[in-house]
Amino acid sequence: MLEALFQYEFLQNAFIVGIFIGLIAPLLGVFIVVRRLSLIADALSHVTLAGIAASLLVQKTFVMGATFNPIYLGMAFSVAGSLFIEKLRTVYKHYQELAIPIILSGGIGLSVIFISLADGFNTDLFSYLFGSVSAVSRTDVWTISIIFFIVFAVIFLLYKEWFILSFDEEYAQASGVKVRVLHFVFIVLVALVIAASMRIVGILLVSSLMTLPVAASIRIAKGFKQALWLSVLFGELAVIVGLFLSYYLNLAPGGTIVLLAVCILIGAIVWRKWKRG
Amino acid sequence: MDDILRIEDVSFRYDDEDVLQHIHFRVPKGAFVGLVGPNGSGKSTLLKCILRLLKPQTGRIFLFGTPIEQFKDWHKIGFVSQKANSFNTGFPATVYEVVASGLAGKLGLFRRLKKSDEKAVYEAIDAVGMSPFIHRNIGELSGGQQQRVFIARAIVSQPEFLILDEPTVGVDVHHVQSFYDMLERLNKQHHMTLLLVTHDIGTITEKVTHVACLNKHLHFHGSVQQFAQLKTEDLASFYGHHLHLLAHDHA
Ligand SMILES: Nc1ncnc2c1ncn2[C@@H]1O[C@H](COP(=O)(O)OP(=O)(O)OP(=O)(O)O)[C@@H](O)[C@H]1O
Ligand SMILES: [Mg+2]
C-alpha cells in the first residue's frame, strides 16, 4: 500500500483530503450534535447534491462546461441552503426543526430535476453519491485544504463562544455574545465542510461522518474538550482505515468509512456498558 | 451616575398580554435589591428586558448610565436564569468547563484562560461547595447541584452587577442558607450590586437593602426598613391573597 501511495497521485489526493475531512467533519460535528442539529447536515448534503447535479447538467450542455469542477457549484448551493435554513428558523421560531425537512425535500426535488435534465445517472454522479478514491483531483485537494484551514482557524478562535452558544443560547445572549453572527459563521462552515467531504464519503453519507464519531465520543467523554479529541480520533480512524480497505478490497470508500464508524460507535457503547458493570 | 440600573417607563407585552406596565425602577450602586411578586407577575420578563433578551415596546433602560442599546460591557453583569437547568442534559461538559464559560465575556474574543482565570474558576466552584464534582459531566448531577454550578458560573467573573432569577430553586435548605450568606458577603465585602428575584420574602428581608414588589405594575419600591413598615393588608392586596410574612420567625 505504501508504495502505491507514493506511486499514484490519485491515492495521495484521496489520503490528504481524507485526513483533512476526518478532522474537521467530526470537529464541527460535535457542535452540530450537542446543539441537536444533526439533521442539518443531511439537509445540506441534499442541497449540495442539487449543486452537483446542476454542474453535471452544465458540463453536458456547454462545451466549455466540461472542465467545470462541480465542487464549486455544490459549495454554492450548500451555503445558499444554509442561509435559507437560518431564515426559516427565524420564521418558525417555535418549530425550528421544520426548516430541515423543508430544505431536505427542496434539495432532493431540485436534484431530481437537474438529474433528469442531464439525462439520468452516470458514473460521475454515482461517485458523488457514494464517494470515490480515484475521483479526487489536485484542484479538489487545494480547495479542501483551504476549507480545512479556515474551519480549523475559526474553531480555534471562536471555541469559547461556540461552547457557550451550544450549551446555553440564552446565557450566551445575556453575556453579550453575538449569537446571530456566530451561528451564521457556524452554519456556513457546516455547508463548506459538507461540500468538501462529499468527494470521499459521498453526499449520501457525509452527515454520518459528522455525527457517528461524535455519537461514539459522547458516550465515553468526560467534558467537552475530551469529546472533541475523541471525535477527531474516531473520525480519523474511520477515514484512514476505511480508505485502505476500500482501495484493497475495491469497495466504495463512503460505505467502508461509515461502516467502520458504526463499528467504533458500537465499540464505544459496549465499552461504556462494560466499564459501568 | 450612582445607579447601576435605571428603568424609565418600561412597558412590555407578549402577543396579547400586557405583562409590564409603566415600570420605573432603579438599583443604586452597592444595593442588594429583592424583587418579589406572585407567579406570572412579570419578574422574569423584566429581567429579560434588562438583559436585552426581550425588547420592551416602550421605555428606556440604562445600565451603568448607558442605554442598553449602546451598552457594551456585558461582562460586568452576571446572570442566573430561572430555568437554568433546562439545558441539554446529555451535553458533554464538565462542571469546570461550564463555570469557566462564565469568563468568556470578560476575556473577550480570541482570548484563552490564564492561570489566574483558572484559579478564579476553582474558587467559584469551591464557593458553591461543588469542588468534589469538578470533573463530573454537568448532566450527571442532581438539579440542585446543577443550579449551584450555574451560580458559580455567574459569579466567577466577579461581575459588578449580579442578576439572579430564583437561583435557589431545587437547592436544599443547607445550601440555600450558605448561598444567601455568600450573596451577603459579595454585597458587603466585594461591593457587588445584586438584584434577586425570590419568593422567599422572609429570608431575604434579613439580607437585602431594598425591596421591590412587582405585579405588572411596580407596587412598592423602597428600602427594606420601609418595606418592613408595610401593613400586612398592603401586601395581601398586592399578592391577591393573604401572606404570612412573619411566619419565618422560627428559623
Ligand atoms: N414566551 C411567552 N409568551 C407569551 N407569554 C408569556 C411568555 N413568557 C411569559 N409569558 C406571560 O407573561 C407573564 C409574566 O411572566 P414571567 O415569566 O415574567 O412571570 P414571573 O413573575 O417570572 O413568574 P414566576 O414567579 O412564575 O417566575 C405571565 O402571565 C406569562 O403568562
Ligand atoms: Mg420567573
Side-chain angles (χ1 to χ4, degrees), chain A residues 34 36 156 160 223-225, chain B residues 88 92 97 108 111-112 137:
Chain A
V34 298
R36 312 229 153 150
F156 186 78
K160 270 197 293 51
F224 198 70
K225 279 240 168 74
Chain B
N88 165 10
E97 287 175 316
R111 298 267 173 67
R112 271 145 200 287
N137 275 354

Side-chain angles (χ1 to χ4, degrees), chain B residues 38-45 47-48 82-83 165-166 197 199:
Chain B
N39 289 143
S41 58
K43 303 181 298 294
S44 300
T45 306
L47 297 193
K48 283 181 185 159
Q82 179 172 16
K83 50 178 181 59
D165 195 350
E166 292 182 48
V197 169
H199 289 291

Side-chain angles (χ1 to χ4, degrees), chain B residues 90-231:
Chain B
F91 198 101
T94 59
V95 169
Y96 180 88
E97 287 175 316
V98 172
V99 175
S101 77
L103 286 168
K106 192 173 180 180
L107 287 169
L109 275 180
F110 312 145
R111 298 267 173 67
R112 271 145 200 287
L113 258 60
K114 295 189 296 287
K115 267 271 161 332
S116 57
D117 299 320
E118 286 170 13
K119 192 158 156 273
V121 175
Y122 285 114
E123 281 168 6
I125 293 172
D126 192 44
V128 295
M130 285 300 289
S131 297
F133 303 94
I134 191 159
H135 296 300
R136 246 330 158 88
N137 275 354
I138 180 93
E140 296 164 3
L141 299 174
S142 78
Q145 291 172 330
Q146 287 168 357
Q147 193 63 11
R148 279 151 59 195
V149 174
F150 294 122
I151 292 166
R153 177 178 67 174
I155 59 170
V156 65
S157 61
Q158 308 221 322
E160 289 175 40
F161 183 29
L162 184 57
I163 300 177
L164 307 132
D165 195 350
E166 292 182 48
T168 53
V169 173
V171 178
D172 63 54
V173 181
H174 168 70
H175 285 101
V176 167
Q177 195 50 50
S178 64
F179 172 63
Y180 282 139
D181 291 344
M182 180 179 76
L183 288 186
E184 195 175 28
R185 217 164 45 241
L186 289 173
N187 178 242
K188 295 238 166 72
Q189 289 168 18
H190 298 268
H191 309 289
M192 200 181 277
T193 309
L194 303 172
L195 175 58
L196 170 72
V197 169
T198 180
H199 289 291
D200 205 357
I201 302 181
T203 312
I204 62 156
T205 47
E206 296 161 13
K207 310 277 184 197
V208 298
T209 59
H210 296 73
V211 178
C213 304
L214 182 73
N215 196 351
K216 312 223 158 146
H217 299 277
L218 198 61
H219 285 254
F220 170 83
H221 181 27
S223 70
V224 67
Q225 290 80 12
Q226 290 168 318
F227 179 73
Q229 283 156 16
L230 279 186
K231 298 206 184 66

Side-chain angles (χ1 to χ4, degrees), chain A residues 92-233:
Chain A
Y92 291 103
K93 263 213 169 76
H94 300 284
Y95 293 98
Q96 298 206 340
E97 71 281 5
L98 249 187
I100 292 166
I102 294 174
I103 295 287
L104 185 87
S105 43
I108 296 179
L110 263 182
S111 315
V112 171
I113 287 178
F114 285 132
I115 290 170
S116 62
L117 282 177
D119 269 355
F121 282 84
N122 55 21
T123 40
D124 240 12
L125 185 64
F126 196 78
S127 86
Y128 280 107
L129 281 177
F130 300 107
S132 156
V133 182
S134 56
V136 187
S137 68
R138 267 287 134 106
T139 349
D140 292 334
V141 173
W142 283 115
T143 317
I144 291 165
S145 20
I146 292 170
I147 293 177
F148 170 82
F149 285 111
I150 293 176
V151 171
F152 200 71
V154 172
I155 292 181
F156 186 78
L157 292 174
L158 296 180
Y159 173 79
K160 270 197 293 51
E161 283 73 19
W162 272 4
F163 175 84
I164 307 189
L165 177 63
S166 312
F167 183 67
D168 185 344
E169 195 157 334
E170 187 178 76
Y171 182 80
Q173 218 171 337
S175 14
V177 170
K178 300 256 181 308
V179 169
R180 295 200 51 171
V181 180
L182 284 174
H183 188 67
F184 177 81
V185 173
F186 174 73
I187 194 140
V188 170
L189 289 191
V190 173
L192 287 176
V193 169
I194 285 172
S197 313
M198 81 201 166
R199 260 313 195 182
I200 297 267
V201 279
I203 285 164
L204 293 179
L205 300 170
V206 165
S207 65
S208 45
L209 190 58
M210 301 185 111
T211 49
L212 289 182
V214 182
S217 79
I218 59 177
R219 287 306 291 170
I220 48 186
K222 281 261 166 279
F224 198 70
K225 279 240 168 74
Q226 223 181 72
L228 287 177
W229 288 121
L230 282 175
S231 301
V232 169
L233 180 73

